[in-house]
mmCIF file of all heavy atoms in Angstrom:
data_model
loop_
_atom_site.group_PDB
_atom_site.id
_atom_site.type_symbol
_atom_site.label_atom_id
_atom_site.label_comp_id
_atom_site.label_asym_id
_atom_site.label_seq_id
_atom_site.Cartn_x
_atom_site.Cartn_y
_atom_site.Cartn_z
ATOM 1 N N LEU E 6 40.185 120.961 -73.166
ATOM 2 C CA LEU E 6 40.008 119.897 -74.152
ATOM 3 C C LEU E 6 39.345 118.729 -73.444
ATOM 4 O O LEU E 6 39.949 118.126 -72.553
ATOM 5 C CB LEU E 6 41.359 119.474 -74.745
ATOM 6 C CG LEU E 6 42.281 120.598 -75.242
ATOM 7 C CD1 LEU E 6 43.582 120.004 -75.778
ATOM 8 C CD2 LEU E 6 41.580 121.431 -76.322
ATOM 9 N N GLY E 7 38.110 118.433 -73.806
ATOM 10 C CA GLY E 7 37.416 117.317 -73.177
ATOM 11 C C GLY E 7 36.048 117.707 -72.675
ATOM 12 O O GLY E 7 35.887 118.745 -72.021
ATOM 13 N N THR E 8 35.075 116.838 -72.987
ATOM 14 C CA THR E 8 33.674 117.124 -72.682
ATOM 15 C C THR E 8 33.123 116.218 -71.575
ATOM 16 O O THR E 8 31.923 116.231 -71.318
ATOM 17 C CB THR E 8 32.823 116.911 -73.945
ATOM 18 O OG1 THR E 8 33.028 115.551 -74.388
ATOM 19 C CG2 THR E 8 33.209 117.860 -75.053
ATOM 20 N N GLY E 9 34.006 115.397 -70.977
ATOM 21 C CA GLY E 9 33.554 114.463 -69.935
ATOM 22 C C GLY E 9 33.407 115.165 -68.598
ATOM 23 O O GLY E 9 33.392 116.401 -68.502
ATOM 24 N N MET E 10 33.322 114.342 -67.562
ATOM 25 C CA MET E 10 33.096 114.860 -66.213
ATOM 26 C C MET E 10 34.208 115.824 -65.802
ATOM 27 O O MET E 10 33.952 116.858 -65.171
ATOM 28 C CB MET E 10 33.054 113.668 -65.250
ATOM 29 C CG MET E 10 32.542 113.967 -63.874
ATOM 30 S SD MET E 10 32.901 112.591 -62.763
ATOM 31 C CE MET E 10 31.912 111.316 -63.526
ATOM 32 N N VAL E 11 35.447 115.506 -66.190
ATOM 33 C CA VAL E 11 36.575 116.342 -65.772
ATOM 34 C C VAL E 11 36.543 117.691 -66.500
ATOM 35 O O VAL E 11 36.672 118.751 -65.875
ATOM 36 C CB VAL E 11 37.913 115.615 -66.017
ATOM 37 C CG1 VAL E 11 39.086 116.516 -65.680
ATOM 38 C CG2 VAL E 11 37.984 114.334 -65.199
ATOM 39 N N GLY E 12 36.371 117.650 -67.819
ATOM 40 C CA GLY E 12 36.308 118.894 -68.587
ATOM 41 C C GLY E 12 35.183 119.789 -68.081
ATOM 42 O O GLY E 12 35.359 121.002 -67.917
ATOM 43 N N GLY E 29 36.615 122.160 -75.764
ATOM 44 C CA GLY E 29 36.828 121.581 -77.092
ATOM 45 C C GLY E 29 36.490 120.102 -77.149
ATOM 46 O O GLY E 29 36.644 119.379 -76.162
ATOM 47 N N SER E 30 36.039 119.673 -78.326
ATOM 48 C CA SER E 30 35.798 118.251 -78.569
ATOM 49 C C SER E 30 36.178 117.954 -80.024
ATOM 50 O O SER E 30 36.633 118.834 -80.741
ATOM 51 C CB SER E 30 34.333 117.906 -78.317
ATOM 52 O OG SER E 30 33.544 118.369 -79.376
ATOM 53 N N ARG E 31 35.986 116.685 -80.436
ATOM 54 C CA ARG E 31 36.337 116.327 -81.821
ATOM 55 C C ARG E 31 35.529 117.119 -82.824
ATOM 56 O O ARG E 31 35.998 117.416 -83.917
ATOM 57 C CB ARG E 31 36.128 114.814 -82.035
ATOM 58 C CG ARG E 31 37.252 113.986 -81.478
ATOM 59 C CD ARG E 31 36.921 112.529 -81.505
ATOM 60 N NE ARG E 31 36.024 112.154 -80.409
ATOM 61 C CZ ARG E 31 35.739 110.919 -80.038
ATOM 62 N NH1 ARG E 31 36.270 109.908 -80.703
ATOM 63 N NH2 ARG E 31 34.931 110.670 -79.022
ATOM 64 N N THR E 32 34.289 117.463 -82.437
ATOM 65 C CA THR E 32 33.400 118.164 -83.366
ATOM 66 C C THR E 32 32.805 119.383 -82.687
ATOM 67 O O THR E 32 32.186 119.248 -81.623
ATOM 68 C CB THR E 32 32.203 117.243 -83.754
ATOM 69 O OG1 THR E 32 32.635 115.888 -83.682
ATOM 70 C CG2 THR E 32 31.675 117.555 -85.110
ATOM 71 N N ASN E 35 29.357 119.659 -80.455
ATOM 72 C CA ASN E 35 29.184 118.452 -79.633
ATOM 73 C C ASN E 35 28.080 118.709 -78.595
ATOM 74 O O ASN E 35 28.072 119.741 -77.924
ATOM 75 C CB ASN E 35 30.532 118.151 -78.960
ATOM 76 C CG ASN E 35 30.457 117.046 -77.930
ATOM 77 O OD1 ASN E 35 29.822 117.180 -76.889
ATOM 78 N ND2 ASN E 35 31.130 115.955 -78.226
ATOM 79 N N PHE E 54 38.581 120.919 -80.784
ATOM 80 C CA PHE E 54 39.812 120.926 -79.982
ATOM 81 C C PHE E 54 40.691 122.106 -80.411
ATOM 82 O O PHE E 54 41.286 122.786 -79.565
ATOM 83 C CB PHE E 54 40.579 119.611 -80.164
ATOM 84 C CG PHE E 54 39.984 118.417 -79.444
ATOM 85 C CD1 PHE E 54 39.870 117.183 -80.077
ATOM 86 C CD2 PHE E 54 39.564 118.518 -78.119
ATOM 87 C CE1 PHE E 54 39.347 116.078 -79.418
ATOM 88 C CE2 PHE E 54 39.034 117.410 -77.441
ATOM 89 C CZ PHE E 54 38.929 116.190 -78.099
ATOM 90 N N CYS E 67 41.835 117.305 -70.788
ATOM 91 C CA CYS E 67 40.884 116.471 -70.028
ATOM 92 C C CYS E 67 40.271 115.441 -70.973
ATOM 93 O O CYS E 67 39.060 115.179 -70.923
ATOM 94 C CB CYS E 67 39.779 117.320 -69.413
ATOM 95 S SG CYS E 67 40.361 118.740 -68.475
ATOM 96 N N THR E 68 41.089 114.880 -71.856
ATOM 97 C CA THR E 68 40.589 113.871 -72.794
ATOM 98 C C THR E 68 40.957 112.474 -72.301
ATOM 99 O O THR E 68 41.855 112.305 -71.462
ATOM 100 C CB THR E 68 41.175 114.084 -74.203
ATOM 101 O OG1 THR E 68 42.607 113.960 -74.136
ATOM 102 C CG2 THR E 68 40.810 115.448 -74.748
ATOM 103 N N ALA E 69 40.265 111.470 -72.836
ATOM 104 C CA ALA E 69 40.570 110.079 -72.505
ATOM 105 C C ALA E 69 42.057 109.841 -72.763
ATOM 106 O O ALA E 69 42.575 110.189 -73.830
ATOM 107 C CB ALA E 69 39.710 109.158 -73.364
ATOM 108 N N GLY E 70 42.754 109.243 -71.783
ATOM 109 C CA GLY E 70 44.208 109.149 -71.872
ATOM 110 C C GLY E 70 44.706 108.418 -73.108
ATOM 111 O O GLY E 70 45.699 108.832 -73.722
ATOM 112 N N ALA E 72 43.463 108.450 -75.908
ATOM 113 C CA ALA E 72 43.179 109.268 -77.100
ATOM 114 C C ALA E 72 43.809 110.652 -77.009
ATOM 115 O O ALA E 72 43.674 111.455 -77.933
ATOM 116 C CB ALA E 72 41.668 109.404 -77.278
ATOM 117 N N SER E 73 44.525 110.934 -75.913
ATOM 118 C CA SER E 73 44.998 112.305 -75.683
ATOM 119 C C SER E 73 45.948 112.800 -76.776
ATOM 120 O O SER E 73 45.858 113.954 -77.209
ATOM 121 C CB SER E 73 45.701 112.411 -74.322
ATOM 122 O OG SER E 73 44.781 112.351 -73.269
ATOM 123 N N ASP E 75 46.062 111.928 -79.895
ATOM 124 C CA ASP E 75 45.244 112.247 -81.084
ATOM 125 C C ASP E 75 44.496 113.561 -80.886
ATOM 126 O O ASP E 75 44.420 114.397 -81.789
ATOM 127 C CB ASP E 75 44.229 111.128 -81.360
ATOM 128 C CG ASP E 75 44.872 109.921 -82.019
ATOM 129 O OD1 ASP E 75 46.001 110.058 -82.535
ATOM 130 O OD2 ASP E 75 44.246 108.839 -82.013
ATOM 131 N N ALA E 76 43.936 113.731 -79.691
ATOM 132 C CA ALA E 76 43.175 114.959 -79.418
ATOM 133 C C ALA E 76 44.098 116.181 -79.494
ATOM 134 O O ALA E 76 43.733 117.217 -80.059
ATOM 135 C CB ALA E 76 42.522 114.866 -78.038
ATOM 136 N N VAL E 93 45.689 116.438 -67.190
ATOM 137 C CA VAL E 93 44.916 115.813 -66.117
ATOM 138 C C VAL E 93 44.614 114.349 -66.450
ATOM 139 O O VAL E 93 44.051 113.606 -65.659
ATOM 140 C CB VAL E 93 43.599 116.624 -65.927
ATOM 141 C CG1 VAL E 93 42.695 116.029 -64.875
ATOM 142 C CG2 VAL E 93 43.901 118.074 -65.589
ATOM 143 N N ALA E 94 45.023 113.928 -67.651
ATOM 144 C CA ALA E 94 44.582 112.623 -68.173
ATOM 145 C C ALA E 94 45.355 111.458 -67.561
ATOM 146 O O ALA E 94 46.515 111.582 -67.176
ATOM 147 C CB ALA E 94 44.737 112.611 -69.686
ATOM 148 N N ASN E 95 44.704 110.310 -67.515
ATOM 149 C CA ASN E 95 45.345 109.059 -67.125
ATOM 150 C C ASN E 95 45.230 108.067 -68.279
ATOM 151 O O ASN E 95 44.154 107.945 -68.877
ATOM 152 C CB ASN E 95 44.679 108.481 -65.865
ATOM 153 C CG ASN E 95 45.128 109.217 -64.621
ATOM 154 O OD1 ASN E 95 46.318 109.382 -64.377
ATOM 155 N ND2 ASN E 95 44.170 109.679 -63.833
ATOM 156 N N PRO E 96 46.326 107.355 -68.576
ATOM 157 C CA PRO E 96 46.310 106.448 -69.739
ATOM 158 C C PRO E 96 45.622 105.118 -69.418
ATOM 159 O O PRO E 96 46.241 104.060 -69.474
ATOM 160 C CB PRO E 96 47.804 106.271 -70.042
ATOM 161 C CG PRO E 96 48.479 106.433 -68.719
ATOM 162 C CD PRO E 96 47.651 107.435 -67.941
ATOM 163 N N LEU E 97 44.350 105.210 -69.063
ATOM 164 C CA LEU E 97 43.596 104.008 -68.675
ATOM 165 C C LEU E 97 43.041 103.323 -69.916
ATOM 166 O O LEU E 97 42.369 103.957 -70.730
ATOM 167 C CB LEU E 97 42.459 104.385 -67.723
ATOM 168 C CG LEU E 97 42.875 104.958 -66.362
ATOM 169 C CD1 LEU E 97 41.648 105.376 -65.554
ATOM 170 C CD2 LEU E 97 43.714 103.954 -65.581
ATOM 171 N N LEU E 132 46.519 117.042 -60.902
ATOM 172 C CA LEU E 132 45.122 116.720 -60.599
ATOM 173 C C LEU E 132 44.675 115.323 -61.022
ATOM 174 O O LEU E 132 43.538 114.940 -60.779
ATOM 175 C CB LEU E 132 44.164 117.763 -61.228
ATOM 176 C CG LEU E 132 44.232 119.186 -60.678
ATOM 177 C CD1 LEU E 132 43.346 120.131 -61.512
ATOM 178 C CD2 LEU E 132 43.780 119.232 -59.215
ATOM 179 N N ASN E 133 45.568 114.541 -61.692
ATOM 180 C CA ASN E 133 45.142 113.234 -62.201
ATOM 181 C C ASN E 133 44.978 112.192 -61.106
ATOM 182 O O ASN E 133 44.474 111.109 -61.382
ATOM 183 C CB ASN E 133 46.136 112.720 -63.257
ATOM 184 C CG ASN E 133 47.517 112.474 -62.694
ATOM 185 O OD1 ASN E 133 48.093 113.354 -62.077
ATOM 186 N ND2 ASN E 133 48.052 111.281 -62.896
ATOM 187 N N THR E 134 45.380 112.524 -59.870
ATOM 188 C CA THR E 134 45.311 111.538 -58.775
ATOM 189 C C THR E 134 44.040 111.677 -57.936
ATOM 190 O O THR E 134 43.924 110.990 -56.916
ATOM 191 C CB THR E 134 46.536 111.686 -57.851
ATOM 192 O OG1 THR E 134 46.619 113.053 -57.414
ATOM 193 C CG2 THR E 134 47.815 111.293 -58.569
ATOM 194 N N VAL E 135 43.128 112.569 -58.341
ATOM 195 C CA VAL E 135 41.869 112.704 -57.599
ATOM 196 C C VAL E 135 40.688 112.734 -58.559
ATOM 197 O O VAL E 135 40.817 113.083 -59.733
ATOM 198 C CB VAL E 135 41.832 113.979 -56.708
ATOM 199 C CG1 VAL E 135 42.819 113.867 -55.558
ATOM 200 C CG2 VAL E 135 42.067 115.237 -57.522
ATOM 201 N N ASN E 136 39.529 112.371 -58.021
ATOM 202 C CA ASN E 136 38.285 112.404 -58.772
ATOM 203 C C ASN E 136 37.939 113.850 -59.166
ATOM 204 O O ASN E 136 38.349 114.802 -58.498
ATOM 205 C CB ASN E 136 37.188 111.830 -57.860
ATOM 206 C CG ASN E 136 35.903 111.562 -58.590
ATOM 207 O OD1 ASN E 136 35.931 111.037 -59.692
ATOM 208 N ND2 ASN E 136 34.796 111.907 -57.982
ATOM 209 N N ALA E 137 37.150 113.983 -60.239
ATOM 210 C CA ALA E 137 36.818 115.317 -60.753
ATOM 211 C C ALA E 137 36.251 116.228 -59.656
ATOM 212 O O ALA E 137 36.679 117.380 -59.532
ATOM 213 C CB ALA E 137 35.824 115.189 -61.907
ATOM 214 N N ALA E 138 35.326 115.706 -58.874
ATOM 215 C CA ALA E 138 34.696 116.549 -57.840
ATOM 216 C C ALA E 138 35.727 117.046 -56.829
ATOM 217 O O ALA E 138 35.637 118.179 -56.347
ATOM 218 C CB ALA E 138 33.593 115.768 -57.129
ATOM 219 N N MET E 140 38.896 117.570 -57.434
ATOM 220 C CA MET E 140 39.822 118.530 -58.057
ATOM 221 C C MET E 140 39.488 119.966 -57.675
ATOM 222 O O MET E 140 40.379 120.779 -57.471
ATOM 223 C CB MET E 140 39.764 118.408 -59.595
ATOM 224 C CG MET E 140 40.304 117.119 -60.138
ATOM 225 S SD MET E 140 40.114 117.050 -61.939
ATOM 226 C CE MET E 140 40.564 115.342 -62.245
HETATM 227 N N1 NAP H 301 36.689 111.058 -64.190
HETATM 228 C C1 NAP H 301 37.487 111.493 -63.228
HETATM 229 O O1 NAP H 301 37.043 111.844 -62.142
HETATM 230 C C2 NAP H 301 38.973 111.603 -63.500
HETATM 231 C C3 NAP H 301 39.859 111.895 -62.465
HETATM 232 C C4 NAP H 301 41.224 112.063 -62.742
HETATM 233 C C5 NAP H 301 41.669 111.962 -64.047
HETATM 234 N N2 NAP H 301 40.783 111.655 -65.040
HETATM 235 C C6 NAP H 301 41.267 111.593 -66.409
HETATM 236 O O2 NAP H 301 40.767 112.755 -67.067
HETATM 237 C C7 NAP H 301 40.488 112.483 -68.435
HETATM 238 C C8 NAP H 301 39.042 112.841 -68.739
HETATM 239 O O3 NAP H 301 38.184 111.984 -68.038
HETATM 240 P P1 NAP H 301 36.583 112.084 -68.222
HETATM 241 O O4 NAP H 301 36.027 110.988 -67.415
HETATM 242 O O5 NAP H 301 36.143 113.483 -67.976
HETATM 243 O O6 NAP H 301 36.328 111.886 -69.774
HETATM 244 P P2 NAP H 301 36.676 110.694 -70.798
HETATM 245 O O7 NAP H 301 35.408 110.005 -71.120
HETATM 246 O O8 NAP H 301 37.819 109.879 -70.304
HETATM 247 O O9 NAP H 301 37.198 111.533 -72.074
HETATM 248 C C9 NAP H 301 36.292 112.304 -72.789
HETATM 249 C C10 NAP H 301 37.000 113.100 -73.855
HETATM 250 O O10 NAP H 301 37.918 112.293 -74.611
HETATM 251 C C11 NAP H 301 37.717 112.563 -75.994
HETATM 252 N N3 NAP H 301 38.025 111.389 -76.821
HETATM 253 C C12 NAP H 301 37.581 110.122 -76.634
HETATM 254 N N4 NAP H 301 38.039 109.330 -77.633
HETATM 255 C C13 NAP H 301 38.743 110.126 -78.482
HETATM 256 C C14 NAP H 301 39.451 109.891 -79.684
HETATM 257 N N5 NAP H 301 39.514 108.688 -80.244
HETATM 258 N N6 NAP H 301 40.093 110.938 -80.263
HETATM 259 C C15 NAP H 301 40.051 112.176 -79.694
HETATM 260 N N7 NAP H 301 39.383 112.454 -78.555
HETATM 261 C C16 NAP H 301 38.734 111.448 -77.947
HETATM 262 C C17 NAP H 301 36.242 112.891 -76.104
HETATM 263 O O11 NAP H 301 36.024 113.644 -77.294
HETATM 264 P P3 NAP H 301 34.532 114.102 -77.739
HETATM 265 O O12 NAP H 301 34.226 115.254 -76.850
HETATM 266 O O13 NAP H 301 34.700 114.467 -79.134
HETATM 267 O O14 NAP H 301 33.633 112.917 -77.502
HETATM 268 C C18 NAP H 301 35.984 113.660 -74.837
HETATM 269 O O15 NAP H 301 36.206 115.036 -75.015
HETATM 270 C C19 NAP H 301 40.798 111.003 -68.624
HETATM 271 O O16 NAP H 301 42.107 110.880 -69.137
HETATM 272 C C20 NAP H 301 40.729 110.426 -67.221
HETATM 273 O O17 NAP H 301 41.551 109.277 -67.057
HETATM 274 C C21 NAP H 301 39.462 111.465 -64.794
#
Side-chain angles (χ1 to χ4, degrees):
L6 311 179
T8 57
M10 193 193 296
V11 176
S30 75
R31 281 171 282 192
T32 331
N35 172 294
F54 285 136
C67 309
T68 61
S73 287
D75 283 344
V93 178
N95 283 308
L97 295 176
L132 294 173
N133 64 307
T134 54
V135 292
N136 191 43
M140 292 177 189

